């Protein structure tokens, strides 16, 4: 399906209107998964022409996405990843866990960004970061698209490695998102140490309901319910 390639339009505008010299793009992956961390990538690209084929990671095949990520990690000026564990998600709620992961990524960059372009419409970062939210920024902004691809490929690889000890769950294929294989393994074997234990998928598993943790933060409810519907992976 044809798509418009991402541009530096938003980044150029921010440089012109705010005087920013360093603009970072931030995107997350794993928000709707039942297992594994939520992972955030912060990337800085400058205004150079990006590698051909760059777009939102969800629009790429796994093979193209992996090859592109390898090129991007060399092409970007800088990038860093931050994670929030399943236990942190349970304790803090998803919004706070996203903020924690994004802060870890941004603070791991070799230079502090003047402005952050955040994919989506909700600023889950807040002070002290200067944030510009962009709906579908992973499709329209070069710096966010680069972060999107790197985050997706790196988290998928992490989940595949975790899955070597839990082959029945198919983490190498579903990356911790709900899938028929994942659901079947949960029903038979129960959750692993990598599962989010405050989420409502446990409500449909009578044998394992007693393991469910109380939700620690109200904002976890709506975002966690999205995992029940099965976001793309």
């Amino acid at each position: 399906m044809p798509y418009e390639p991402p541009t530096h339009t938003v980044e150029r505008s921010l440089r012109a209107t705010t005087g920013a010299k360093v603009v970072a793009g931030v995107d997350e992956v794993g928000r709707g998964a039942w297992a594994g961390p939520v992972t955030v990538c912060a990337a800085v690209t400058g205004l150079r022409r990006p590698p051909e084929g760059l777009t939102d990671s969800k629009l790429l095949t796994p093979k193209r996405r992996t090859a592109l990520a390898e090129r991007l990690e060399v092409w970007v000026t800088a990038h860093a990843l931050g994670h929030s564990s399943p236990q942190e998600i349970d304790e803090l709620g998803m919004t706070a866990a996203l903020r924690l992961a994004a802060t870890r990524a941004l603070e791991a960059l070799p230079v502090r960004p003047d402005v952050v372009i955040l994919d989506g419409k909700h600023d889950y970062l807040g002070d002290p970061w200067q944030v510009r939210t962009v709906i579908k920024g992973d499709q329209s902004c070069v710096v966010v698209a680069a972060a999107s691809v790197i985050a997706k490929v790196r988290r998928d690889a992490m989940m595949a490695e975790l899955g070597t000890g839990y082959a029945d769950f198919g983490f190498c294929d579903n990356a911790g998102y709900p899938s028929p294989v994942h659901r079947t393994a949960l029903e038979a074997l129960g959750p692993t140490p990598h599962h989010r234990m405050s989420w409502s998928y446990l409500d449909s598993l009578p044998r394992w309901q007693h393991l469910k943790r109380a939700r620690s933060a109200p904002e976890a409810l709506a975002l966690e319910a999205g995992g029940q519907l099965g976001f793309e992976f």
Side-chain angles (χ1 to χ4, degrees):
M1 185 177 187
Y3 57 87
E4 292 293 325
T7 70
H8 292 295
T9 300
V10 175
E11 187 173 348
R12 290 182 189 278
S13 174
L14 288 170
R15 286 170 177 259
T17 58
T18 69
K21 294 182 179 180
V22 179
V23 179
V26 165
D27 199 16
E28 53 76 21
V29 63
R31 186 190 303 227
W34 287 358
V38 62
T39 296
V40 173
C41 180
V44 178
T45 66
L47 298 175
R48 292 170 298 140
R49 183 185 180 92
E52 185 176 354
L54 177 62
T55 187
D56 173 14
S57 64
K58 295 186 293 296
L59 300 179
L60 299 168
T61 64
K63 183 177 180 180
R64 289 182 61 195
R65 189 165 55 227
T66 300
L68 183 58
E70 292 176 357
R71 295 174 61 194
L72 285 170
E73 291 193 21
V74 176
W75 174 80
V76 296
T77 303
H79 76 281
L81 288 114
H83 312 278
S84 284
S85 68
Q87 293 75 28
E88 289 172 326
I89 293 169
D90 287 334
E91 292 169 7
L92 302 174
M94 181 55 78
T95 298
L98 277 171
R99 183 181 304 117
L100 182 61
T103 299
R104 285 168 173 166
L106 288 164
E107 291 183 343
L109 289 172
V111 60
R112 185 179 178 88
D114 300 308
V115 182
V116 176
I117 303 176
L118 193 61
D119 183 49
K121 64 180 180 180
H122 174 55
D123 176 9
Y124 56 76
L125 260 176
D127 292 336
W129 306 98
Q130 184 174 350
V131 175
R132 167 74 177 272
T133 58
V134 178
I135 296 173
K136 294 187 177 180
D138 49 9
Q139 295 181 35
S140 62
C141 299
V142 167
V143 70
V144 180
S148 166
V149 173
I150 294 171
K152 172 65 175 168
V153 170
R154 292 286 290 274
R155 184 181 182 277
D156 281 359
M158 181 188 305
M159 292 304 298
E161 184 174 351
L162 290 178
T164 58
Y166 303 93
D168 291 330
F169 289 83
F171 289 161
C172 61
D173 297 315
N174 61 48
Y177 285 80
S179 71
V181 168
H182 191 169
R183 291 171 188 267
T184 298
L186 271 171
E187 290 175 3
L189 304 173
T192 72
H194 305 297
H195 278 86
R196 302 170 187 181
M197 301 303 296
S198 62
W199 285 37
S200 61
Y201 67 82
L202 283 167
D203 294 338
S204 61
L205 300 172
R207 185 178 173 188
W208 310 106
Q209 277 182 343
H210 66 286
L211 299 176
K212 186 175 180 181
R213 290 187 53 181
R215 298 176 180 88
S216 300
E219 68 264 25
L221 290 169
L223 292 172
E224 173 270 322
Q228 280 280 88
L229 301 176
F231 291 179
E232 280 188 71
F233 55 87

